[in-house]
Amino acid sequence: MALQERAKAKVNLTLTVTGRRSDGYHTLESLVAFADAVSDTLTLTPGPVLSLSAAGVVADDAGPLDNNLALKAAQALQQRRAGLRIGHIHLEKTIPVAAGLGGGSADAAAVLRLLAQLNDLAPDDPVLREAARACGADVPVCLQSRACVMRGIGEIVSPPVHVGRLHALLVNPRVPCPTPAVFRALNAPESLAVATREDAPIARGWRGLGNDLQAPALRCVPVIADVLDLLARLPGCADVRMSGSGATCVGFFTDAAQAEQAACVLAARQPRWWIAATVLD
Ligand code: C5P
């Protein structure tokens, strides 16, 4: 019998750069939440051979199947657990690629959850976390897929925190915003190390914290300024910010009706932009 999992898009509500490691990677402290209405779907049909197929509106943007993180996650778990039951994985892809929404990481994490189910592994089995870490910085946080604080370069994940159900509008101008370029454009004042905070104050006070990668991303992809500006002017929009290393931006509204109405207004003005109203939690 086939098993199915949703891979929800990840949104960074805050992102503070806390330092730079000797290997050049930056350490971060980031409150993340997950989009209820923006997700890929993964189906696992048990069988003797590990294989992957993909379809969906953005499947071609995700590159060759051999390089897909969904397959790499299954292989990472296979390497760590002898006799792992496997099968055919089908990925239905809708989360925009390279958009700061962690789509590939969410797919990888969903595959690990599917294989955990098939092999009777507990959701907190350390082998899942190890395989997640081996697949990329955002995979451990996507494994949990609930609002929490991530630290280090993503390998440290807090227990779930309470942010409530946030009514949001996600907007991507469909302009690539490569992560390495954004980190390169990060200036010293934006990358000063800060004392790390506790989880609860971050979850309570996230609206007062920003995204340290927003300014460098704006230097790389100036249209992000237009996205933030247009979002902020939409009726009922209380707050705006960029997610991750961009270019997706998010606006916050008091209820679902306001977010959906704002989506219609913006889609009429910017028909080429990717726009999605969703709850984040
Ligand atoms: O994680 P990803 O492979 O997308 O990162 C691309 C590049 O972005 C890295 O090679 C590194 O230069 C930079 N980066 C960083 N600190 C992070 C994540 C990425 O400096 N935490």
PDB file of all heavy atoms in Angstrom, residues 20 23-28 136-138 152-154 179-181 183-184 245, ligand 1:
ATOM      1  N   ARG A  20      30.452  33.607  11.755  1.00  0.00           N
ATOM      2  CA  ARG A  20      30.972  33.004  10.525  1.00  0.00           C
ATOM      3  C   ARG A  20      31.969  31.934  10.932  1.00  0.00           C
ATOM      4  O   ARG A  20      32.873  32.203  11.727  1.00  0.00           O
ATOM      5  CB  ARG A  20      31.649  34.082   9.685  1.00  0.00           C
ATOM      6  CG  ARG A  20      31.942  33.671   8.267  1.00  0.00           C
ATOM      7  CD  ARG A  20      32.164  34.904   7.395  1.00  0.00           C
ATOM      8  NE  ARG A  20      32.450  34.502   6.029  1.00  0.00           N
ATOM      9  CZ  ARG A  20      33.690  34.301   5.561  1.00  0.00           C
ATOM     10  NH1 ARG A  20      34.725  34.478   6.341  1.00  0.00           N
ATOM     11  NH2 ARG A  20      33.851  33.931   4.302  1.00  0.00           N
ATOM     12  N   ASP A  23      35.011  27.533   7.962  1.00  0.00           N
ATOM     13  CA  ASP A  23      34.791  27.017   6.601  1.00  0.00           C
ATOM     14  C   ASP A  23      34.004  28.007   5.726  1.00  0.00           C
ATOM     15  O   ASP A  23      33.654  27.689   4.595  1.00  0.00           O
ATOM     16  CB  ASP A  23      34.080  25.656   6.636  1.00  0.00           C
ATOM     17  CG  ASP A  23      32.685  25.727   7.251  1.00  0.00           C
ATOM     18  OD1 ASP A  23      32.245  26.842   7.608  1.00  0.00           O
ATOM     19  OD2 ASP A  23      32.031  24.672   7.367  1.00  0.00           O
ATOM     20  N   GLY A  24      33.721  29.196   6.274  1.00  0.00           N
ATOM     21  CA  GLY A  24      33.044  30.224   5.474  1.00  0.00           C
ATOM     22  C   GLY A  24      31.534  30.240   5.661  1.00  0.00           C
ATOM     23  O   GLY A  24      30.879  31.238   5.344  1.00  0.00           O
ATOM     24  N   TYR A  25      30.958  29.163   6.185  1.00  0.00           N
ATOM     25  CA  TYR A  25      29.504  29.137   6.416  1.00  0.00           C
ATOM     26  C   TYR A  25      29.138  30.058   7.573  1.00  0.00           C
ATOM     27  O   TYR A  25      29.903  30.217   8.519  1.00  0.00           O
ATOM     28  CB  TYR A  25      29.032  27.704   6.728  1.00  0.00           C
ATOM     29  CG  TYR A  25      28.611  26.953   5.492  1.00  0.00           C
ATOM     30  CD1 TYR A  25      29.559  26.366   4.658  1.00  0.00           C
ATOM     31  CD2 TYR A  25      27.268  26.845   5.146  1.00  0.00           C
ATOM     32  CE1 TYR A  25      29.183  25.691   3.512  1.00  0.00           C
ATOM     33  CE2 TYR A  25      26.882  26.175   3.999  1.00  0.00           C
ATOM     34  CZ  TYR A  25      27.842  25.599   3.184  1.00  0.00           C
ATOM     35  OH  TYR A  25      27.457  24.944   2.056  1.00  0.00           O
ATOM     36  N   HIS A  26      27.971  30.675   7.489  1.00  0.00           N
ATOM     37  CA  HIS A  26      27.508  31.581   8.539  1.00  0.00           C
ATOM     38  C   HIS A  26      26.582  30.839   9.500  1.00  0.00           C
ATOM     39  O   HIS A  26      25.730  30.064   9.056  1.00  0.00           O
ATOM     40  CB  HIS A  26      26.756  32.760   7.922  1.00  0.00           C
ATOM     41  CG  HIS A  26      27.647  33.649   7.109  1.00  0.00           C
ATOM     42  ND1 HIS A  26      28.048  33.326   5.824  1.00  0.00           N
ATOM     43  CD2 HIS A  26      28.240  34.829   7.413  1.00  0.00           C
ATOM     44  CE1 HIS A  26      28.844  34.278   5.369  1.00  0.00           C
ATOM     45  NE2 HIS A  26      28.987  35.198   6.306  1.00  0.00           N
ATOM     46  N   THR A  27      26.754  31.116  10.783  1.00  0.00           N
ATOM     47  CA  THR A  27      25.814  30.541  11.753  1.00  0.00           C
ATOM     48  C   THR A  27      24.629  31.497  11.890  1.00  0.00           C
ATOM     49  O   THR A  27      24.773  32.721  11.771  1.00  0.00           O
ATOM     50  CB  THR A  27      26.481  30.310  13.118  1.00  0.00           C
ATOM     51  OG1 THR A  27      27.068  31.534  13.546  1.00  0.00           O
ATOM     52  CG2 THR A  27      27.541  29.228  13.027  1.00  0.00           C
ATOM     53  N   LEU A  28      23.466  30.909  12.108  1.00  0.00           N
ATOM     54  CA  LEU A  28      22.219  31.674  12.100  1.00  0.00           C
ATOM     55  C   LEU A  28      21.392  31.361  13.337  1.00  0.00           C
ATOM     56  O   LEU A  28      21.572  30.313  13.968  1.00  0.00           O
ATOM     57  CB  LEU A  28      21.371  31.303  10.874  1.00  0.00           C
ATOM     58  CG  LEU A  28      22.062  31.219   9.512  1.00  0.00           C
ATOM     59  CD1 LEU A  28      21.115  30.623   8.482  1.00  0.00           C
ATOM     60  CD2 LEU A  28      22.501  32.605   9.080  1.00  0.00           C
ATOM     61  N   GLY A 136      21.505  18.467   4.113  1.00  0.00           N
ATOM     62  CA  GLY A 136      21.520  19.922   3.934  1.00  0.00           C
ATOM     63  C   GLY A 136      21.033  20.660   5.165  1.00  0.00           C
ATOM     64  O   GLY A 136      20.362  20.085   6.040  1.00  0.00           O
ATOM     65  N   ALA A 137      21.382  21.965   5.204  1.00  0.00           N
ATOM     66  CA  ALA A 137      21.173  22.775   6.401  1.00  0.00           C
ATOM     67  C   ALA A 137      19.697  22.896   6.807  1.00  0.00           C
ATOM     68  O   ALA A 137      19.380  22.966   7.998  1.00  0.00           O
ATOM     69  CB  ALA A 137      21.761  24.162   6.169  1.00  0.00           C
ATOM     70  N   ASP A 138      18.781  22.932   5.837  1.00  0.00           N
ATOM     71  CA  ASP A 138      17.370  23.152   6.171  1.00  0.00           C
ATOM     72  C   ASP A 138      16.589  21.854   6.377  1.00  0.00           C
ATOM     73  O   ASP A 138      15.410  21.888   6.717  1.00  0.00           O
ATOM     74  CB  ASP A 138      16.674  23.949   5.047  1.00  0.00           C
ATOM     75  CG  ASP A 138      16.982  25.432   5.148  1.00  0.00           C
ATOM     76  OD1 ASP A 138      17.388  25.894   6.233  1.00  0.00           O
ATOM     77  OD2 ASP A 138      16.801  26.127   4.128  1.00  0.00           O
ATOM     78  N   GLY A 152      22.969  27.283  14.598  1.00  0.00           N
ATOM     79  CA  GLY A 152      24.131  26.718  13.906  1.00  0.00           C
ATOM     80  C   GLY A 152      23.961  27.041  12.434  1.00  0.00           C
ATOM     81  O   GLY A 152      23.528  28.146  12.070  1.00  0.00           O
ATOM     82  N   ILE A 153      24.264  26.081  11.558  1.00  0.00           N
ATOM     83  CA  ILE A 153      23.902  26.325  10.149  1.00  0.00           C
ATOM     84  C   ILE A 153      22.619  25.556   9.828  1.00  0.00           C
ATOM     85  O   ILE A 153      22.321  25.279   8.671  1.00  0.00           O
ATOM     86  CB  ILE A 153      25.044  26.008   9.165  1.00  0.00           C
ATOM     87  CG1 ILE A 153      25.430  24.531   9.215  1.00  0.00           C
ATOM     88  CG2 ILE A 153      26.257  26.894   9.395  1.00  0.00           C
ATOM     89  CD1 ILE A 153      26.237  24.113   7.990  1.00  0.00           C
ATOM     90  N   GLY A 154      21.875  25.214  10.871  1.00  0.00           N
ATOM     91  CA  GLY A 154      20.586  24.539  10.698  1.00  0.00           C
ATOM     92  C   GLY A 154      20.533  23.200  11.393  1.00  0.00           C
ATOM     93  O   GLY A 154      19.483  22.570  11.468  1.00  0.00           O
ATOM     94  N   THR A 179      21.586  31.930  -3.151  1.00  0.00           N
ATOM     95  CA  THR A 179      22.034  32.033  -1.757  1.00  0.00           C
ATOM     96  C   THR A 179      23.510  32.445  -1.636  1.00  0.00           C
ATOM     97  O   THR A 179      23.824  33.333  -0.830  1.00  0.00           O
ATOM     98  CB  THR A 179      21.788  30.692  -1.036  1.00  0.00           C
ATOM     99  OG1 THR A 179      20.402  30.383  -1.169  1.00  0.00           O
ATOM    100  CG2 THR A 179      22.159  30.751   0.431  1.00  0.00           C
ATOM    101  N   PRO A 180      24.448  31.841  -2.400  1.00  0.00           N
ATOM    102  CA  PRO A 180      25.863  32.230  -2.220  1.00  0.00           C
ATOM    103  C   PRO A 180      26.082  33.723  -2.463  1.00  0.00           C
ATOM    104  O   PRO A 180      26.826  34.371  -1.717  1.00  0.00           O
ATOM    105  CB  PRO A 180      26.604  31.392  -3.279  1.00  0.00           C
ATOM    106  CG  PRO A 180      25.700  30.240  -3.565  1.00  0.00           C
ATOM    107  CD  PRO A 180      24.310  30.753  -3.400  1.00  0.00           C
ATOM    108  N   ALA A 181      25.417  34.278  -3.479  1.00  0.00           N
ATOM    109  CA  ALA A 181      25.587  35.708  -3.783  1.00  0.00           C
ATOM    110  C   ALA A 181      25.069  36.565  -2.634  1.00  0.00           C
ATOM    111  O   ALA A 181      25.673  37.590  -2.290  1.00  0.00           O
ATOM    112  CB  ALA A 181      24.855  36.046  -5.081  1.00  0.00           C
ATOM    113  N   PHE A 183      24.905  35.767   0.605  1.00  0.00           N
ATOM    114  CA  PHE A 183      25.858  35.720   1.723  1.00  0.00           C
ATOM    115  C   PHE A 183      27.110  36.539   1.408  1.00  0.00           C
ATOM    116  O   PHE A 183      27.661  37.190   2.289  1.00  0.00           O
ATOM    117  CB  PHE A 183      26.221  34.272   2.081  1.00  0.00           C
ATOM    118  CG  PHE A 183      25.228  33.639   3.034  1.00  0.00           C
ATOM    119  CD1 PHE A 183      24.264  32.767   2.567  1.00  0.00           C
ATOM    120  CD2 PHE A 183      25.256  33.942   4.383  1.00  0.00           C
ATOM    121  CE1 PHE A 183      23.358  32.176   3.443  1.00  0.00           C
ATOM    122  CE2 PHE A 183      24.348  33.373   5.271  1.00  0.00           C
ATOM    123  CZ  PHE A 183      23.401  32.483   4.792  1.00  0.00           C
ATOM    124  N   ARG A 184      27.535  36.522   0.129  1.00  0.00           N
ATOM    125  CA  ARG A 184      28.721  37.315  -0.239  1.00  0.00           C
ATOM    126  C   ARG A 184      28.452  38.807  -0.083  1.00  0.00           C
ATOM    127  O   ARG A 184      29.343  39.578   0.234  1.00  0.00           O
ATOM    128  CB  ARG A 184      29.141  37.014  -1.688  1.00  0.00           C
ATOM    129  CG  ARG A 184      30.072  35.817  -1.809  1.00  0.00           C
ATOM    130  CD  ARG A 184      30.809  35.818  -3.157  1.00  0.00           C
ATOM    131  NE  ARG A 184      29.912  35.876  -4.294  1.00  0.00           N
ATOM    132  CZ  ARG A 184      29.331  34.819  -4.860  1.00  0.00           C
ATOM    133  NH1 ARG A 184      29.556  33.604  -4.375  1.00  0.00           N
ATOM    134  NH2 ARG A 184      28.530  34.948  -5.885  1.00  0.00           N
ATOM    135  N   SER A 245      17.053  33.467   2.253  1.00  0.00           N
ATOM    136  CA  SER A 245      17.943  34.319   1.462  1.00  0.00           C
ATOM    137  C   SER A 245      17.197  34.908   0.266  1.00  0.00           C
ATOM    138  O   SER A 245      17.810  35.440  -0.647  1.00  0.00           O
ATOM    139  CB  SER A 245      19.169  33.518   1.011  1.00  0.00           C
ATOM    140  OG  SER A 245      18.771  32.412   0.228  1.00  0.00           O
TER     141      SER A 245
HETATM  142  O1  C5P B   1      23.127  25.824   1.786  1.00  0.00           O
HETATM  143  P1  C5P B   1      23.494  26.171   0.387  1.00  0.00           P
HETATM  144  O2  C5P B   1      24.327  25.125  -0.291  1.00  0.00           O
HETATM  145  O3  C5P B   1      22.362  26.661  -0.450  1.00  0.00           O
HETATM  146  O4  C5P B   1      24.475  27.421   0.545  1.00  0.00           O
HETATM  147  C1  C5P B   1      25.083  28.043  -0.576  1.00  0.00           C
HETATM  148  C2  C5P B   1      26.203  28.959  -0.102  1.00  0.00           C
HETATM  149  O5  C5P B   1      25.700  29.993   0.745  1.00  0.00           O
HETATM  150  C3  C5P B   1      27.295  28.293   0.706  1.00  0.00           C
HETATM  151  O6  C5P B   1      28.278  27.731  -0.109  1.00  0.00           O
HETATM  152  C4  C5P B   1      27.838  29.456   1.529  1.00  0.00           C
HETATM  153  O7  C5P B   1      28.719  30.240   0.751  1.00  0.00           O
HETATM  154  C5  C5P B   1      26.606  30.288   1.793  1.00  0.00           C
HETATM  155  N1  C5P B   1      26.000  29.955   3.112  1.00  0.00           N
HETATM  156  C6  C5P B   1      26.559  30.485   4.256  1.00  0.00           C
HETATM  157  N2  C5P B   1      25.998  30.182   5.465  1.00  0.00           N
HETATM  158  C7  C5P B   1      24.909  29.385   5.558  1.00  0.00           C
HETATM  159  C8  C5P B   1      24.328  28.853   4.403  1.00  0.00           C
HETATM  160  C9  C5P B   1      24.901  29.165   3.187  1.00  0.00           C
HETATM  161  O8  C5P B   1      27.542  31.228   4.201  1.00  0.00           O
HETATM  162  N3  C5P B   1      24.387  29.125   6.773  1.00  0.00           N
END
